[in-house]
Amino acid sequence: MAVSFTVTNRQKNGRARLGLLHTPHGTVETPVFMPVGTQATVKTMTPEEVWDVGGRLILSNTYHLYLRPGQELVREAGGLHRFMNWSGPILTDSGGFQVFSLGPLRKVSEEGVTFRSHIDGSEHFFSPEKAMEIQMALGSDIAMAFDECAPYPCSYEYAREALDRTSRWAERCLAAHRLKEQGVFGIVQGGVFHDLRKKSAGEIVSLNFAGYAIGGLSVGEPKELMYELLDYTVPFLPEEKPRYLMGVGSPDCLVEGVLRGIDMFDCVLPTRLARNGTVFTRRGRLVVRNAGNARDLNPLDPECGCYVCQNYSRAYIRHLLKAGEVLGIRLTTIHNLSFVLELMKELREAIREGKMVEYRDEFMEKYQYG
Amino acid sequence: MAVSFTVTNRQKNGRARLGLLHTPHGTVETPVFMPVGTQATVKTMTPEEVWDVGGRLILSNTYHLYLRPGQELVREAGGLHRFMNWSGPILTDSGGFQVFSLGPLRKVSEEGVTFRSHIDGSEHFFSPEKAMEIQMALGSDIAMAFDECAPYPCSYEYAREALDRTSRWAERCLAAHRLKEQGVFGIVQGGVFHDLRKKSAGEIVSLNFAGYAIGGLSVGEPKELMYELLDYTVPFLPEEKPRYLMGVGSPDCLVEGVLRGIDMFDCVLPTRLARNGTVFTRRGRLVVRNAGNARDLNPLDPECGCYVCQNYSRAYIRHLLKAGEVLGIRLTTIHNLSFVLELMKELREAIREGKMVEYRDEFMEKYQYG
C-alpha cells in the first residue's frame, strides 16, 4: 500500500496517540500539522525554509492547480514534488471544499459540480472522477476523495443529502483511482448532527480508505461544538488508520484536537494571519502591526526560539510591515509556522510522556489568559 | 581611519584594479557591487540570503530611513546593523539624490533642501549637517556627503551651480562629521561637461575624503557618453582611494565601469527588474513573465549555478509570478543578485589574471547578441 499508518503510543488518559505515517516520499511523525501550499508554494517560503521550521508533510490544492498552471504542466514537469522542489510528502485536497465555497458560482448535480473560475470566470466541471484524475496527474502522496462540505449552519435535510452524496462520490473516487503510489483518504461529513456523523463514518469507513478525514468542521461553528462533535465522531473511525481534521490550525484547536485523537491537521490560518501582521505567542495573539509595537525592541515572542525571534525585534518587523516590505510577511510567516510546528512537537512529547492532559491545561491557561 | 583602501593589483592594459576596502564591519574585495537595502532590507531577502548570494557590502537610504522608521529608533536599536540583522559593512547615501529626485516637492537654497515626504506630504529640511547627523545615528560604515545631483539633460550653468554648491556642502559635511567609526566619501558632480567634471574632482579631492563617488551619471544619458565621461574623470581621482560609480548595476555597465577603474557600484536595477519578472542571463535579459515561458522547463539561465537555476524551472517561476506568489519575486531577486555578484567575482578574477579586456570582449559579445 502506498500509504500506511502505525500507532506507536497511546495516551492512557484520553484518545491522543503517536503514530508514523508512511508515504512514498517518507515517513512522518503524527500528530502532524501540514503547512498549506495552495498554489504549489507555501506562501512566501522556499521548500527549504518549510523544512527548516519543521514542516514534513504539506498540503496543496487541486482546485487552484487545476486552474493555474494546470495539472498537465505539473505532470510534464515530473509531478508536483519536482515542479515545486519539495521532496517530502504532499497531500492534495480534492477541490471539493473550494468549489462548494464558490457559492452562486457553482451548481451541484449527482454527476458533479459545475463552477466558474475565481480567476477569469470561465466554466468548469468537477466530478469524483475528475478530482481523482487531477490528483493522479499532480502525483501527490495522499489524494482526498471528492466530497460535499455542507455549510454552517445548515438544515438536517441538507446535511443528510450532502453526506449521502459524499458517500456515493467516495465509491466513485475509489473506482476511478488507479495510481498505486498514492493513498486515498475518505471524508466524513454530517454537519453538526450526531446520527448523520455516525451514518457518514460508517459508510465511508466501510469503503476501506487509507485514512479518514473529518470534514465540515471549523466552518463557523463554536469551538465547543466542534470539540463535542470530535468526541462523538472519532470513536467511529478505526484505530489503525490516520484521522485528519480538515481546516484546523489555531494553537488552541490543535491542542484540543490532538487530545481527542486527531493525527493530522491543515490550515491557512498561521500563514494568513502572518500576512495580516498578526503572530502567535505563548500568551495569545499579538498584532505586531499595531502602533504600540513601533519602538518595542523585544522579539515577537520572548519565549520562542525560532529564527525570527532570535534575530529581529517587533519594532523592525513592524517597520517592514508598514513599509510594505516583503521581508515583513516572510518573518511573521516563518514565526507562525515555527510556532505551530514546535507546538506539534511538544504535543508529541507530551503524549510520549503520558502528560497530554496536563500539557493541554497548562498551555490553554497561558494562551487564553496571557 | 575608520575606512581605508589598499590597491592589491593593477591591470596593465587599462585602469581596472583589485583592492581591499577596510571598514569597521570587515574588509571587502573590490571591485564590488552593493545590493540596495533602501528601507533597511534588501527587498524580499533576509540578510543571510544576501550573504549567501555573495553580498558583502550593502547600501541603505538616509532619506527613507529618516522618514520611516526614523533614525532615532534605529539608534536606540543599536544602529542599522543590529536593527536589520546585517553584520557586514553598510554604506548609506546622503539622501541628496532622493530629495533632488522629488522635483516640484522640493526647494533648494544655500542652506539646504526643503522637501515634502513622498509618504504623507509632510514638510522636511535636509542640509549637509542634517544628512551627516542622520547617517551618524544610523551608524553606517561609510557615509556619503550631501550633494546636488543635476538632472540629464541640463544646462552648463545649472551643472556648474550644482557642482559649486556640492563643493561648499562637502566642506560643511566634513566639518559636521564627528563619528570616528565611520568613513565619509565625497561626490564628484559636473554633469556631462569635461571642464566641470575636472573642476569638481579637483575641489572634492582637495578635501581629502576616504573615498570618491562619481555622481550624476546613469541618470538618462546614453551609455557611450557615460563611458566617455568615466574615461575623462577617473584620472582626476587619486589612485589610492576607492572610486564609486553611483546608481550603476546593469551587467554591461558593471563590466565597462570596472574596465575604467571603478571599484564600487550600487543600483536597484537587479532587484527592481526581478520584481517586474525580468532576469539577467549570460545571453541578455529574459522576461520570464512572458507567455512563451509558460511550459519551459529550463532554468532561468542554463549557464547559471545559483540556487534558483539549480532547483526551479522557468515554467514554475512564471506560474508563481502570474499567481502573485511572493516566492516568485524572491526567486527572480535571488537569481539577479547572484548573477551580478558572480559577475563581479569573475571580473576580479579576470583582473587578477590580467585578462580584463578579453573578459569584457567575450562577455559583451554574448550578452548583447545572445
Side-chain angles (χ1 to χ4, degrees), chain B residues 10-92:
Chain B
R10 274 185 187 75
Q11 181 82 6
K12 289 193 185 71
N13 188 0
R15 300 206 174 101
R17 74 245 190 106
L18 289 179
L20 293 172
L21 179 67
H22 310 285
T23 82
H25 286 83
T27 293
V28 173
E29 292 182 71
T30 65
V32 64
F33 174 80
M34 299 182 274
V36 177
T38 305
Q39 303 191 104
T41 165
V42 175
K43 284 192 191 299
T44 80
M45 298 181 81
T46 63
E48 291 84 356
E49 287 166 348
V50 174
W51 182 269
D52 286 346
V53 299
R56 292 295 178 267
L57 166 57
I58 64 172
L59 179 145
S60 200
N61 289 76
T62 290
Y63 165 81
H64 291 88
L65 296 178
Y66 160 80
L67 289 179
R68 188 169 56 191
Q71 69 275 12
E72 284 311 319
L73 174 63
V74 176
R75 192 210 298 268
E76 281 167 34
L80 187 53
H81 299 81
R82 276 187 64 184
F83 184 60
M84 69 181 289
N85 187 33
W86 171 258
S87 52
I90 302 175
L91 178 148
T92 42

XYZ file of all heavy atoms in Angstrom, chain B residues 10-92:
654
model
N 46.984 45.862 -10.184
C 46.593 46.795 -11.249
C 46.688 46.100 -12.599
O 47.701 45.491 -12.912
C 47.520 48.013 -11.273
C 47.130 49.118 -10.347
C 48.005 50.339 -10.515
N 47.691 51.301 -9.483
C 48.063 51.199 -8.201
N 48.800 50.170 -7.816
N 47.703 52.117 -7.334
N 45.624 46.206 -13.359
C 45.636 45.697 -14.718
C 46.608 46.554 -15.534
O 46.565 47.772 -15.468
C 44.217 45.819 -15.278
C 44.026 45.310 -16.671
C 43.831 43.799 -16.677
O 43.732 43.182 -15.631
N 43.811 43.221 -17.855
N 47.520 45.904 -16.311
C 48.466 46.692 -17.109
C 47.763 47.376 -18.257
O 48.041 48.517 -18.611
C 49.588 45.790 -17.629
C 50.528 45.355 -16.511
C 51.804 44.736 -17.034
C 52.646 44.217 -15.866
N 52.026 43.007 -15.241
N 46.848 46.650 -18.853
C 46.119 47.131 -20.019
C 44.816 47.795 -19.560
O 43.822 47.133 -19.332
C 45.835 45.908 -20.911
C 45.244 46.315 -22.242
O 45.038 47.498 -22.510
N 44.978 45.314 -23.073
N 44.826 49.115 -19.352
C 43.622 49.805 -18.874
C 43.711 50.148 -17.398
O 44.754 49.992 -16.776
N 42.606 50.619 -16.828
C 42.626 51.147 -15.463
C 42.067 50.203 -14.408
O 42.028 50.556 -13.227
C 41.820 52.448 -15.410
C 42.356 53.538 -16.322
C 41.998 54.922 -15.809
N 42.654 55.924 -16.653
C 42.039 56.599 -17.622
N 40.764 56.402 -17.863
N 42.712 57.483 -18.339
N 41.573 49.051 -14.811
C 40.959 48.147 -13.829
C 41.957 47.771 -12.744
O 43.145 47.610 -13.009
C 40.439 46.889 -14.520
N 41.445 47.641 -11.509
C 42.326 47.231 -10.419
C 41.553 46.449 -9.380
O 40.335 46.551 -9.272
C 42.983 48.470 -9.788
C 42.059 49.301 -8.929
C 41.805 50.693 -9.490
N 41.101 51.515 -8.483
C 41.671 52.482 -7.781
N 42.947 52.800 -7.960
N 40.980 53.145 -6.888
N 42.305 45.678 -8.597
C 41.771 44.952 -7.442
C 42.108 45.739 -6.192
O 43.170 46.365 -6.116
C 42.427 43.584 -7.309
C 42.094 42.515 -8.327
C 42.892 41.247 -7.996
C 40.607 42.224 -8.312
N 41.220 45.659 -5.196
C 41.524 46.339 -3.951
C 40.867 45.678 -2.760
O 40.083 44.742 -2.895
N 41.257 46.162 -1.590
C 40.619 45.737 -0.342
C 40.103 46.979 0.358
O 40.866 47.920 0.615
C 41.627 45.004 0.546
C 42.113 43.660 0.016
C 43.257 43.125 0.875
C 40.954 42.653 -0.047
N 38.814 46.991 0.624
C 38.193 48.115 1.308
C 37.998 47.710 2.767
O 37.244 46.788 3.065
C 36.844 48.438 0.643
C 36.026 49.576 1.242
C 36.738 50.924 1.035
C 34.636 49.618 0.604
N 38.726 48.380 3.659
C 38.669 48.035 5.083
C 37.653 48.925 5.788
O 37.720 50.154 5.668
C 40.045 48.218 5.728
C 41.151 47.547 4.962
N 41.340 46.187 4.982
C 42.104 48.057 4.129
C 42.383 45.883 4.201
N 42.860 47.000 3.677
N 36.699 48.312 6.504
C 35.672 49.077 7.219
C 35.542 48.526 8.632
O 36.046 47.433 8.921
C 34.292 48.957 6.533
O 33.679 47.715 6.962
C 34.401 48.956 5.012
N 34.858 49.243 9.519
C 34.679 48.733 10.885
C 33.958 47.389 10.932
O 34.111 46.650 11.902
C 33.842 49.830 11.559
C 34.190 51.071 10.803
C 34.375 50.623 9.380
N 33.176 47.059 9.912
C 32.469 45.770 9.908
C 33.075 44.783 8.918
O 32.389 43.895 8.422
C 30.979 45.969 9.633
C 30.249 46.537 10.809
N 30.226 47.890 11.082
C 29.547 45.944 11.817
C 29.526 48.107 12.186
N 29.104 46.937 12.647
N 34.358 44.933 8.641
C 35.017 43.937 7.807
C 35.611 44.496 6.533
O 35.368 45.640 6.165
N 36.408 43.648 5.901
C 37.119 44.020 4.683
C 36.422 43.407 3.475
O 35.987 42.254 3.524
C 38.574 43.530 4.775
O 39.228 44.278 5.806
C 39.317 43.737 3.464
N 36.328 44.202 2.425
C 35.587 43.788 1.243
C 36.510 43.828 0.034
O 37.256 44.793 -0.153
C 34.396 44.748 1.020
C 33.700 44.466 -0.302
C 33.422 44.660 2.189
N 36.463 42.786 -0.796
C 37.233 42.792 -2.035
C 36.554 43.682 -3.065
O 35.342 43.611 -3.246
C 37.316 41.375 -2.610
C 38.138 40.409 -1.788
C 38.201 39.043 -2.463
O 38.872 38.925 -3.509
O 37.556 38.111 -1.952
N 37.356 44.482 -3.752
C 36.814 45.306 -4.831
C 37.458 44.878 -6.152
O 38.551 44.316 -6.125
C 37.090 46.807 -4.592
O 38.508 47.021 -4.648
C 36.539 47.278 -3.269
N 36.792 45.140 -7.275
C 35.507 45.819 -7.469
C 34.352 45.065 -6.814
O 34.303 43.845 -6.846
C 35.332 45.842 -8.984
C 36.706 45.627 -9.547
C 37.423 44.793 -8.564
N 33.421 45.848 -6.249
C 32.299 45.289 -5.503
C 30.994 45.925 -5.971
O 30.947 47.116 -6.274
C 32.497 45.512 -3.985
C 32.505 47.001 -3.630
C 31.426 44.793 -3.158
N 29.951 45.100 -6.047
C 28.608 45.623 -6.275
C 27.858 45.574 -4.951
O 27.859 44.555 -4.260
C 27.849 44.804 -7.330
C 26.417 45.238 -7.477
C 26.102 46.364 -8.238
C 25.389 44.567 -6.828
C 24.779 46.796 -8.343
C 24.072 45.000 -6.931
C 23.767 46.114 -7.701
N 27.203 46.694 -4.603
C 26.457 46.769 -3.341
C 24.971 46.571 -3.581
O 24.332 47.419 -4.219
C 26.654 48.148 -2.706
C 28.088 48.473 -2.362
S 28.249 50.097 -1.567
C 28.381 51.163 -3.020
N 24.389 45.486 -3.093
C 22.923 45.362 -3.148
C 22.285 46.502 -2.353
O 22.841 46.949 -1.347
C 22.653 44.008 -2.479
C 23.931 43.242 -2.624
C 25.020 44.281 -2.519
N 21.137 46.959 -2.796
C 20.491 48.114 -2.183
C 19.405 47.663 -1.214
O 18.502 46.913 -1.582
C 19.891 49.036 -3.258
C 19.159 50.203 -2.600
C 20.986 49.553 -4.184
N 19.522 48.129 0.030
C 18.507 47.855 1.048
C 17.859 49.157 1.465
O 18.068 49.637 2.574
N 17.074 49.717 0.580
C 16.502 51.058 0.739
C 15.930 51.293 2.135
O 16.292 52.244 2.819
C 15.387 51.272 -0.301
O 15.941 51.025 -1.593
C 14.851 52.690 -0.244
N 15.020 50.421 2.541
C 14.295 50.629 3.800
C 14.786 49.659 4.873
O 14.002 49.067 5.591
C 12.793 50.445 3.566
C 12.258 51.375 2.472
C 10.740 51.407 2.404
O 10.131 52.386 2.852
N 10.122 50.373 1.876
N 16.105 49.503 4.958
C 16.712 48.594 5.944
C 16.383 47.141 5.639
O 16.272 46.310 6.556
C 16.314 48.969 7.375
N 16.205 46.816 4.361
C 16.055 45.435 3.900
C 16.327 45.409 2.406
O 15.800 46.251 1.679
C 14.646 44.866 4.194
O 14.445 43.659 3.422
C 13.554 45.841 3.807
N 17.174 44.485 1.974
C 17.329 44.246 0.542
C 16.038 43.555 0.106
O 15.749 42.449 0.563
C 18.560 43.376 0.241
C 18.642 43.042 -1.242
C 19.833 44.094 0.691
N 15.278 44.210 -0.717
C 13.876 43.810 -0.921
C 13.712 42.309 -1.156
O 14.386 41.735 -2.008
C 13.249 44.601 -2.077
C 12.915 46.036 -1.666
C 12.037 46.750 -2.677
C 11.958 48.245 -2.377
N 11.381 48.578 -1.058
N 12.835 41.707 -0.395
C 12.423 40.293 -0.403
C 13.420 39.349 0.277
O 13.089 38.182 0.469
C 12.136 39.714 -1.820
O 13.360 39.378 -2.477
C 11.341 40.682 -2.697
N 14.627 39.839 0.665
C 15.669 38.922 1.130
C 15.986 39.065 2.618
O 15.960 40.162 3.167
C 16.950 39.143 0.326
C 16.775 38.871 -1.158
S 18.313 39.116 -2.081
C 19.161 37.567 -1.763
N 16.391 37.946 3.229
C 16.973 38.023 4.566
C 18.450 38.391 4.419
O 19.052 38.177 3.360
C 16.906 36.676 5.309
O 17.676 35.715 4.590
C 15.481 36.191 5.456
N 19.059 38.918 5.493
C 20.495 39.206 5.450
C 21.324 37.960 5.116
O 22.304 38.055 4.381
C 20.790 39.692 6.868
C 19.490 40.179 7.389
C 18.433 39.336 6.752
N 20.928 36.810 5.628
C 21.670 35.575 5.354
C 21.641 35.257 3.858
O 22.621 34.772 3.294
C 21.083 34.398 6.146
C 21.298 34.476 7.649
C 20.238 35.321 8.349
O 19.368 35.915 7.667
O 20.279 35.399 9.597
N 20.501 35.498 3.228
C 20.403 35.237 1.790
C 21.281 36.193 0.995
O 21.897 35.809 0.002
C 18.947 35.346 1.323
C 18.119 34.167 1.781
C 16.621 34.390 1.631
O 16.197 35.548 1.378
O 15.875 33.425 1.786
N 21.330 37.455 1.430
C 22.190 38.431 0.750
C 23.645 37.950 0.834
O 24.384 37.970 -0.153
C 22.040 39.833 1.380
C 23.042 40.807 0.773
C 20.613 40.346 1.198
N 24.014 37.489 2.012
C 25.369 36.965 2.192
C 25.601 35.735 1.306
O 26.628 35.611 0.643
C 25.612 36.617 3.670
C 26.998 36.123 3.931
C 27.432 34.822 3.913
C 28.157 36.916 4.200
N 28.780 34.779 4.182
C 29.253 36.033 4.355
C 28.384 38.289 4.339
C 30.551 36.478 4.636
C 29.667 38.734 4.618
C 30.729 37.843 4.758
N 24.633 34.835 1.284
C 24.785 33.586 0.531
C 24.930 33.820 -0.972
O 25.596 33.043 -1.656
C 23.598 32.640 0.789
C 23.657 32.008 2.173
O 24.722 32.083 2.819
O 22.647 31.444 2.612
N 24.294 34.849 -1.508
C 24.461 35.111 -2.944
C 25.743 35.901 -3.217
O 26.060 36.180 -4.374
C 23.249 35.852 -3.568
C 21.984 35.015 -3.442
C 23.071 37.243 -2.979
N 26.471 36.268 -2.172
C 27.758 36.925 -2.369
C 27.786 38.399 -2.001
O 28.788 39.079 -2.238
N 26.705 38.916 -1.417
C 26.697 40.312 -0.986
C 27.604 40.499 0.218
O 27.553 39.705 1.157
N 28.472 41.514 0.187
C 29.406 41.717 1.299
C 29.307 43.121 1.867
O 29.691 43.366 3.010
C 30.845 41.467 0.815
C 31.131 40.008 0.467
C 31.048 39.112 1.702
N 31.262 37.702 1.382
C 30.296 36.843 1.102
N 29.022 37.252 1.094
N 30.554 35.579 0.827
N 28.798 44.051 1.096
C 28.683 45.462 1.484
C 27.348 45.892 0.905
O 27.089 45.671 -0.281
C 29.846 46.233 0.845
C 29.809 47.752 0.801
C 29.672 48.350 2.185
C 31.065 48.292 0.114
N 26.462 46.418 1.748
C 25.164 46.824 1.218
C 24.964 48.316 1.395
O 25.649 48.973 2.189
C 23.996 46.054 1.876
C 23.909 46.369 3.370
C 24.140 44.542 1.646
C 22.671 45.782 4.024
N 24.030 48.850 0.625
C 23.711 50.267 0.692
C 22.332 50.444 1.290
O 21.423 49.666 1.015
C 23.734 50.866 -0.722
C 23.390 52.352 -0.844
C 24.215 52.996 -1.961
C 21.900 52.571 -1.144
N 22.178 51.470 2.121
C 20.842 51.786 2.612
C 20.611 53.291 2.491
O 21.554 54.060 2.302
C 20.654 51.292 4.046
O 19.279 51.190 4.348
N 19.345 53.708 2.592
C 18.987 55.074 2.202
C 18.627 55.978 3.366
O 17.665 55.722 4.096
C 17.830 55.041 1.207
C 18.262 54.515 -0.141
O 18.446 53.312 -0.297
N 18.478 55.385 -1.100
N 19.374 57.054 3.484
C 19.164 58.039 4.528
C 17.779 58.671 4.446
O 17.083 58.797 5.461
C 20.253 59.122 4.411
O 21.493 58.519 4.805
C 19.961 60.329 5.275
N 17.386 59.054 3.244
C 16.076 59.698 3.064
C 14.957 58.789 3.572
O 14.108 59.202 4.364
C 15.874 60.036 1.580
C 14.453 60.374 1.197
C 13.931 61.647 1.420
C 13.628 59.419 0.592
C 12.622 61.958 1.056
C 12.327 59.721 0.224
C 11.830 60.985 0.457
O 10.540 61.290 0.096
N 14.947 57.536 3.125
C 13.868 56.625 3.505
C 13.873 56.317 4.997
O 12.817 56.294 5.639
C 13.963 55.326 2.698
C 13.637 55.512 1.251
N 14.586 55.861 0.315
C 12.465 55.423 0.586
C 14.004 55.969 -0.871
N 12.728 55.713 -0.746
N 15.056 56.058 5.557
C 15.107 55.670 6.970
C 14.809 56.847 7.894
O 14.265 56.659 8.984
C 16.470 55.054 7.303
C 16.754 53.751 6.569
C 18.148 53.232 6.918
C 15.696 52.697 6.886
N 15.152 58.061 7.437
C 14.802 59.268 8.189
C 13.279 59.387 8.302
O 12.733 59.658 9.375
C 15.389 60.494 7.482
C 14.737 61.802 7.836
C 15.046 62.482 9.017
C 13.795 62.377 6.972
C 14.435 63.690 9.333
C 13.177 63.578 7.279
C 13.501 64.232 8.459
O 12.894 65.418 8.768
N 12.577 59.163 7.160
C 11.123 59.286 7.171
C 10.470 58.120 7.909
O 9.470 58.289 8.600
C 10.585 59.326 5.737
C 10.861 60.605 4.935
C 10.288 60.464 3.527
C 10.240 61.828 5.623
N 11.038 56.933 7.771
C 10.412 55.732 8.322
C 11.460 54.663 8.484
O 12.031 54.280 7.457
C 9.294 55.264 7.360
C 8.431 54.153 7.894
C 7.209 53.920 7.021
N 7.544 53.651 5.624
C 6.658 53.612 4.618
N 5.398 53.870 4.848
N 7.036 53.337 3.393
N 11.796 54.188 9.648
C 11.127 54.404 10.946
C 11.694 55.586 11.722
O 11.258 55.807 12.846
C 11.440 53.099 11.692
C 12.821 52.758 11.225
C 12.875 53.184 9.774
N 12.621 56.349 11.163
C 13.272 57.434 11.902
C 14.599 56.981 12.468
O 14.709 55.893 13.027
N 15.639 57.830 12.300
C 16.987 57.416 12.697
C 17.128 57.240 14.206
O 17.998 56.500 14.667
C 18.042 58.401 12.175
C 18.028 59.769 12.812
C 17.010 60.700 12.140
O 16.169 60.265 11.347
N 17.092 61.985 12.449
N 16.246 57.892 14.989
C 16.387 57.756 16.445
C 16.017 56.353 16.906
O 16.656 55.793 17.803
C 15.560 58.816 17.180
C 16.215 60.205 17.141
C 17.704 60.171 17.543
O 18.054 59.446 18.500
O 18.512 60.856 16.872
N 14.988 55.772 16.282
C 14.646 54.395 16.612
C 15.795 53.460 16.238
O 16.148 52.549 16.995
C 13.360 53.964 15.894
C 13.013 52.484 16.062
C 12.738 52.138 17.523
C 11.825 52.088 15.192
N 16.377 53.698 15.063
C 17.488 52.853 14.625
C 18.647 52.969 15.617
O 19.274 51.977 15.988
C 17.932 53.220 13.195
C 19.149 52.405 12.783
C 16.790 53.022 12.204
N 18.915 54.186 16.068
C 19.994 54.373 17.050
C 19.684 53.619 18.344
O 20.536 52.905 18.885
C 20.174 55.875 17.347
C 21.455 56.175 18.134
C 21.325 57.398 19.040
N 21.060 58.636 18.347
C 21.975 59.497 17.916
N 23.248 59.229 18.101
N 21.627 60.616 17.323
N 18.439 53.759 18.813
C 18.031 53.043 20.035
C 18.195 51.532 19.888
O 18.500 50.827 20.849
C 16.555 53.313 20.360
C 16.290 54.646 21.027
C 14.800 54.983 21.025
O 13.979 54.041 21.127
O 14.472 56.179 20.898
N 17.949 51.050 18.663
C 18.043 49.601 18.412
C 19.492 49.142 18.325
O 19.758 47.966 18.095
C 17.289 49.247 17.133
N 20.441 50.071 18.471
C 21.847 49.696 18.424
C 22.484 49.963 17.074
O 23.552 49.431 16.765
N 21.817 50.780 16.261
C 22.355 51.102 14.936
C 21.729 50.230 13.859
O 21.058 49.235 14.133
N 22.004 50.623 12.615
C 21.363 49.969 11.472
C 21.748 48.494 11.359
O 20.916 47.654 11.015
C 21.733 50.736 10.193
C 21.044 50.318 8.907
C 19.523 50.300 9.063
C 21.446 51.272 7.773
N 23.013 48.177 11.663
C 23.433 46.782 11.552
C 22.583 45.873 12.440
O 22.074 44.847 11.990
C 24.911 46.631 11.943
C 25.865 47.396 11.083
N 26.098 48.742 11.258
C 26.641 47.012 10.038
C 26.995 49.147 10.361
N 27.340 48.120 9.601
N 22.434 46.273 13.686
C 21.651 45.430 14.588
C 20.171 45.483 14.264
O 19.466 44.475 14.345
C 21.873 45.850 16.045
C 23.126 45.199 16.624
C 23.286 45.443 18.094
N 22.229 44.844 18.902
C 22.142 45.014 20.211
N 23.038 45.757 20.846
N 21.167 44.451 20.895
N 19.684 46.665 13.902
C 18.259 46.827 13.597
C 17.833 45.863 12.497
O 16.805 45.202 12.586
C 17.992 48.276 13.173
C 16.544 48.608 12.922
C 15.602 48.481 13.938
C 16.116 49.075 11.682
C 14.261 48.806 13.718
C 14.783 49.392 11.453
C 13.855 49.263 12.479
N 18.674 45.756 11.449
C 18.287 44.907 10.315
C 19.000 43.556 10.305
O 18.795 42.770 9.385
C 18.516 45.641 8.992
C 19.966 45.873 8.627
S 20.155 46.796 7.052
C 19.644 45.560 5.854
N 19.839 43.283 11.320
C 20.480 41.975 11.454
C 21.499 41.699 10.343
O 21.614 40.586 9.852
C 19.401 40.873 11.511
C 19.962 39.503 11.827
O 20.931 39.384 12.571
N 19.383 38.476 11.250
N 22.221 42.749 9.939
C 23.283 42.591 8.929
C 24.599 42.946 9.594
O 24.792 44.085 10.026
C 23.032 43.522 7.734
C 24.187 43.592 6.756
C 25.112 44.586 6.646
C 24.523 42.637 5.738
N 25.997 44.319 5.641
C 25.672 43.120 5.062
C 23.976 41.414 5.332
C 26.277 42.435 4.006
C 24.571 40.732 4.284
C 25.705 41.246 3.630
N 25.515 41.973 9.669
C 26.733 42.239 10.422
C 27.890 42.677 9.532
O 28.958 43.024 10.029
C 27.122 41.006 11.241
O 27.170 39.878 10.403
N 27.705 42.687 8.228
C 28.727 43.195 7.313
C 28.662 44.712 7.204
O 27.846 45.361 7.851
N 29.559 45.283 6.393
C 29.567 46.737 6.240
C 28.343 47.290 5.504
O 27.732 46.602 4.699
C 30.841 47.011 5.439
C 31.397 45.700 5.024
C 30.677 44.612 5.719
N 28.029 48.542 5.853
C 26.909 49.253 5.221
C 27.391 50.625 4.781
O 28.090 51.314 5.527
C 25.728 49.443 6.205
C 25.220 48.099 6.729
C 24.591 50.225 5.543
C 24.127 48.222 7.798
N 27.005 51.023 3.589
C 27.190 52.388 3.118
C 25.819 53.040 3.081
O 24.856 52.424 2.616
C 27.827 52.377 1.725
C 28.072 53.718 1.024
C 29.336 53.629 0.132
C 26.894 54.178 0.168
N 25.717 54.247 3.612
C 24.456 54.977 3.468
C 24.653 56.121 2.495
O 25.679 56.809 2.533
C 23.965 55.563 4.809
O 25.076 56.110 5.520
C 23.301 54.503 5.657
